[in-house]
Amino acid sequence: KKLNLVKVVETATRTFVSLFDNPWQELEFTFVNVKDKVFTLEEDRHLLCWAHKYGYGQWDAVKMAIRRSPDFRFDYYLRSLPTDAIGKGCEHLM
């Protein structure tokens, strides 16, 4: 059951990301009634693209991508987040 859910989520993410020519810059989200939004639009965009690139559950790889990215060199909040918090953010977006 869980494996089927993961496959559905990955397929939906792949389809959504493929709608954009350059998802790293063009990806847009619509949030409704989100009071405790943790990440910015740019962070959300990169998290979803990395989750798509590395696959569902590969949150350590996403964390390493954040650390290597020049876009987030001075974003100490995002760079210091634990892996499970990054995973929660990615799951929420997916």
Side-chain angles (χ1 to χ4, degrees):
K1 185 177 176 181
K2 176 101 172 160
L3 289 176
N4 287 336
L5 179 63
V6 169
K7 285 182 183 181
V8 168
V9 167
E10 285 182 338
T11 304
T13 303
R14 184 179 329 111
T15 304
F16 181 64
V17 169
S18 69
L19 295 174
F20 300 92
D21 293 331
N22 186 358
W24 296 91
Q25 295 177 350
E26 299 173 355
L27 204 68
E28 294 290 331
F29 300 97
T30 310
F31 294 105
V32 180
N33 295 332
V34 179
K35 297 177 185 171
D36 56 344
K37 180 142 173 37
V38 177
F39 302 111
T40 65
L41 176 62
E42 183 181 4
E43 292 168 347
D44 282 343
R45 190 179 293 143
H46 279 77
L47 286 174
L48 187 63
C49 288
W50 281 319
H52 169 65
K53 180 178 179 179
Y54 297 116
Y56 182 88
Q58 300 299 318
W59 311 136
D60 287 322
V62 173
K63 183 175 176 102
M64 291 312 306
I66 291 168
R67 291 186 161 217
R68 283 189 233 118
S69 173
D71 294 334
F72 301 109
R73 178 186 299 158
F74 299 110
D75 190 340
Y76 298 111
Y77 172 73
L78 186 62
R79 291 171 57 105
S80 68
L81 282 175
T83 306
D84 61 331
I86 291 170
K88 268 188 184 175
C90 291
E91 287 176 352
H92 177 73
L93 292 170
M94 294 174 97

